[in-house]
Amino acid sequence: MGALSEKRNVKPSQTPSLGAWVEAGPRVRWRVWAPGHQRVEVVLYDAKGAPGRTLSMTPEAEGCFGAVLEGQGAGVRYKLRVDGEGPFPDPWSRSQPEGVHGPSEVVTADFAWTDAGWKGVAPPSLVLYEVHVGTATPEGTFEALIPRLPQLKQLGITALELMPVASFPGRHNWGYDGVDLFAPAQVYGGPQGLRRLVDAAHGAGLAVVLDAVYNHFGPDGNYLRAFSPHYFTGRHHTPWGDAVNYDGEHSRFVREMVLSNVEMWIRDYHLDGLRLDAAHAIVDDGAPHLLTEISARARASAPGRHVVLIAEDERNERKLMLPASEGGHGLDGVWADDFHHQMRRAFAGDSESYYQDYTGSAEDLARTLVKGWFYEGQPSKNLGHARGTKAEGLEPWRFVYCIQNHDQVGNRPLGERLGHDVSPAAFRAMSTLLLASPYTPLLFMGQEWNASTPFLYFTDHHAELGRLVTEGRRREFAGFSRFAGEEVPDPQAEDTFTRSRLDWREAQRPEHAGVLALYRELLALRASDPALTDARRGAHDARAVGPDALVLERRGGGQVLQVLVALRGEVEHAVPADAQVVLWSDAPRFGGDVSSPPLTGGKVRLRGPGAVIVRSADTKRG
């Protein structure tokens, strides 16, 4: 395979590969990759945003151009002109204070960090809390999240998972249309705002994981093609068009763009890891695979710290989590959506699109809990081919489980949260099973009190692109019988964004306070009970109890915890004579109406939907 198979450097460097940075002197140095072009210039901008002095860049090796500005440092604003075209923002810019179409800004990584003793959170201890910065608070900024950190820590969260924060077009966006990978969005508070949030989170004992998008780049504000056509390739395709060129001719700088970005987030922003969006769409036929290099570069960027790398990948591919020495990519974990899909089918009745591959039966849900994911090579009716690989041998903490996330809420036409489609009793039962499982739980912001605010799909593109997005969004749901006649909100409308803001005041209202109490109690139990802290393979089991219930067993510390979940109807289940009830989801303190423990005469009697946890001695252990 020639150049595609050659070994590639994964060592971190303090000097950026491309972009602009400050050197001693002081001076600003630029380096731009623009192969095939004859002339590249730096256009400097004044404080009022007007273009001024121009610097000619000197051709260098491998299609690069360089320039130096003496006597200047952080704060210099500039654009780049290529063969007389433009000027354009720098696609390797570290700051875009006026948005993705405005001048780039030279910044440094200087910050008064207070987290010198921070070692991160061990991956088996992760409890993830997914946050969209722009809608998590009324202000929609990094710093506005800081006052919320103590209550998240008290809840039992161990890590924030931020949806993408790389600069995107307009005032609000989910972030998956990002175009300036290195520049934290100014509308959220820019580079310093992100550093303040991460430093404060570490001070509160919380890790911060960032959702990073390397499978495609957004269209609005994307100036990569102005510098080189080699950033993309027609050899591979993704749902978003031509794939990023990670394995073809001239791909070295394209790969380095991603690897330098990984390094920057971990080293310069002290982030504790990355969630890699749609890793199955990162197409690379070379060796080593880009995912393997991402893993190596990330860990090399933070010696002595836990760095966690989690893939969103629909293939159920074990190779992602195997070490490189065994032919794997060396990632820590993967979003395992089979659990979510079985739970939605069981409790909410979803059956169209990918849900047609799931029965939601007690037997299939139990099988998913035993394995980690459900599909291990069986044919998928939705895909039309086999899906998945064996999960055996992979530790349970490597599988990220959820009952809702940004995709599963926001990709519904009306942005309805789970609580909109299931009863309060079902929501409590689903939450109990999620948090008592041996798998890494992910909560979507506000889930802990069963928030009622929607999370809609919103954008702020220019008029032409915005119209296409709106039309496409409405076509997407036209074929779903469940949503027939529904008016899909316009992603471009200001109201679509403002309606998606989380209302933290809800947590104190009686109809929500009970759910919050349940989450606090379950997460405290998860962190302290020996049967729940043991997440090794073989320390748990699950089985159906008739057609309408299942039991999950957790073992540890000489104890057995049984989690009985009734999907529907009346369920009766025999338990050991010494069994004691730990909690039941319909207790009044959780918002339910069952005042007495549902255990009498050695049997648990449960009305579905509902859940109960009982503890007994582990006689098998002896």
Side-chain angles (χ1 to χ4, degrees):
M1 297 180 64
L4 298 184
S5 300
E6 67 186 35
K7 293 296 182 181
R8 298 167 174 135
N9 178 34
V10 298
K11 295 180 180 179
S13 168
Q14 293 295 323
T15 302
S17 301
L18 296 172
W21 61 95
V22 178
E23 297 178 336
R27 69 174 67 89
V28 176
R29 183 177 296 277
W30 283 270
R31 192 170 187 233
V32 175
W33 183 54
H37 293 287
Q38 303 303 310
R39 181 165 49 96
V40 182
E41 300 163 295
V42 179
V43 180
L44 301 176
Y45 281 69
D46 63 23
K48 297 180 179 179
R53 180 182 171 190
T54 297
L55 302 177
S56 294
M57 303 190 77
T58 303
E60 299 179 355
E62 298 184 272
C64 292
F65 293 78
V68 172
L69 177 63
E70 297 288 350
Q72 298 291 321
V76 170
R77 297 191 181 188
Y78 68 98
K79 284 188 175 184
L80 301 168
R81 186 179 289 124
V82 183
D83 284 344
E85 298 292 327
F88 309 107
D90 184 352
W92 290 60
S93 165
R94 268 63 176 177
S95 176
Q96 290 295 125
E98 298 176 37
V100 298
H101 301 290
S104 302
E105 181 183 36
V106 178
V107 295
T108 64
D110 296 342
F111 184 76
W113 292 99
T114 65
D115 64 350
W118 176 253
K119 300 299 181 185
V121 173
S125 300
L126 285 174
V127 177
L128 297 162
Y129 191 83
E130 189 181 26
V131 171
H132 179 269
V133 175
T135 56
T137 64
E139 300 86 353
T141 64
F142 296 125
E143 292 192 64
L145 276 170
I146 293 175
R148 299 293 175 184
L149 299 177
Q151 67 194 91
L152 293 177
K153 177 66 174 178
Q154 183 184 34
L155 173 65
I157 300 302
T158 65
L160 296 182
E161 183 176 303
L162 304 180
M163 288 175 63
V165 303
S167 290
F168 50 77
R171 297 160 297 162
H172 38 258
N173 192 291
W174 275 19
Y176 298 94
D177 291 327
V179 291
D180 291 307
L181 298 189
F182 297 86
Q186 195 65 32
V187 292
Y188 293 162
Q192 292 301 82
L194 178 56
R195 289 189 174 98
R196 292 187 187 103
L197 172 60
V198 174
D199 195 50
H202 291 170
L206 296 169
V208 183
V209 175
L210 178 65
D211 199 339
V213 185
Y214 301 130
N215 54 77
H216 77 289
F217 308 129
D220 188 1
N222 186 340
Y223 294 99
L224 289 169
R225 292 184 191 274
F227 295 87
S228 173
H230 302 301
Y231 278 107
F232 302 94
T233 176
R235 296 171 57 244
H236 307 299
H237 294 277
T238 74
W240 308 279
D242 286 353
V244 182
N245 178 27
Y246 289 132
D247 60 2
E249 188 178 7
H250 303 296
S251 63
R252 187 175 82 82
F253 281 104
V254 186
R255 298 175 69 89
E256 184 56 31
M257 178 174 66
V258 167
L259 296 174
S260 293
N261 187 246
V262 168
E263 179 183 325
M264 180 198 74
W265 291 129
I266 304 299
R267 185 193 68 205
D268 297 344
Y269 288 90
H270 290 203
L271 287 164
D272 299 284
L274 301 172
R275 179 260 193 191
L276 304 173
D277 180 66
H280 53 271
I282 298 176
V283 186
D284 181 7
D285 290 337
H289 194 282
L290 182 65
L291 291 174
T292 307
E293 289 199 301
I294 286 173
S295 176
R297 182 71 68 95
R299 300 185 202 289
S301 300
R305 265 203 291 138
H306 289 293
V307 174
V308 61
L309 296 165
I310 298 170
E312 179 203 21
D313 195 303
E314 62 188 16
R315 297 172 297 179
N316 288 7
E317 176 55 72
R318 65 182 288 110
K319 180 180 179 179
L320 292 166
M321 294 167 281
L322 294 178
S325 60
E326 297 179 21
H329 296 316
L331 305 181
D332 294 288
V334 65
W335 275 28
D337 286 343
D338 286 356
F339 174 76
H340 170 273
H341 300 343
Q342 295 282 19
M343 293 282 273
R344 284 278 328 190
R345 185 70 190 263
F347 288 95
D350 297 57
S351 61
E352 296 185 278
S353 186
Y354 48 77
Y355 289 111
Q356 67 183 303
D357 283 344
Y358 302 88
T359 67
S361 69
E363 182 178 357
D364 283 354
L365 188 49
R367 177 178 172 176
T368 305
L369 284 162
V370 170
K371 300 283 189 178
W373 49 46
F374 182 76
Y375 276 89
E376 294 187 300
Q378 310 98 295
S380 158
K381 182 179 179 181
N382 179 57
L383 297 176
H385 57 75
R387 171 176 173 246
T389 59
K390 294 290 185 182
E392 61 188 18
L394 297 173
E395 301 95 326
W397 57 264
R398 294 186 180 275
F399 299 78
V400 177
Y401 270 22
C402 74
I403 54 175
Q404 57 185 343
N405 59 40
H406 78 273
D407 271 331
Q408 301 301 336
V409 176
N411 282 333
R412 306 179 77 79
L414 303 179
E416 318 97 303
R417 288 174 177 260
L418 175 63
H420 181 273
D421 293 327
V422 303
S423 68
F427 187 89
R428 293 191 298 267
M430 296 170 77
S431 300
T432 302
L433 185 58
L434 169 70
L435 298 182
S437 86
Y439 303 102
T440 295
L442 176 138
L443 281 57
F444 183 59
M445 60 181 193
Q447 176 179 324
E448 69 273 25
W449 70 78
N450 196 8
S452 66
T453 47
F455 184 73
L456 294 151
Y457 181 68
F458 46 81
T459 56
D460 186 26
H461 293 302
H462 60 77
E464 182 181 354
L465 179 57
R467 178 181 56 80
L468 294 174
V469 169
T470 299
E471 292 173 354
R473 180 73 173 169
R474 289 175 173 166
R475 278 197 305 271
E476 181 181 352
F477 294 104
F480 284 77
S481 59
R482 175 170 181 172
F483 306 117
E486 297 278 9
E487 180 66 21
V488 178
D490 182 358
Q492 289 282 104
E494 183 73 16
D495 179 66
T496 303
F497 169 68
T498 57
R499 285 172 55 206
S500 300
R501 284 199 182 114
L502 196 59
D503 182 2
W504 292 80
R505 297 170 299 178
E506 275 194 330
Q508 307 307 317
R509 296 171 187 162
E511 64 269 31
H512 295 279
V515 179
L516 181 57
L518 175 66
Y519 270 75
R520 284 175 175 164
E521 198 161 322
L522 284 168
L523 286 171
L525 194 67
R526 182 184 180 90
S528 61
D529 192 289
L532 296 185
T533 56
D534 189 344
R536 295 172 300 170
R537 276 280 175 187
H540 83 281
D541 196 9
R543 62 186 181 277
V545 180
D548 297 323
L550 63 95
V551 63
L552 167 68
E553 288 187 355
R554 304 286 309 275
R555 286 185 163 80
Q559 303 284 312
V560 177
L561 287 188
Q562 288 193 4
V563 185
L564 178 66
V565 179
L567 308 181
R568 62 192 70 84
E570 300 285 338
V571 175
E572 186 175 278
H573 175 62
V575 296
D578 66 333
Q580 296 180 326
V581 173
V582 177
L583 64 77
W584 64 103
S585 62
D586 285 334
R589 70 182 185 277
F590 303 140
D593 58 2
V594 179
S595 57
S596 300
L599 171 60
T600 55
K603 292 183 178 180
V604 171
R605 292 176 175 84
L606 201 57
R607 181 188 69 218
V612 61
I613 301 179
V614 297
R615 178 186 284 113
S616 59
D618 188 355
T619 55
K620 291 184 181 179
R621 183 182 179 90

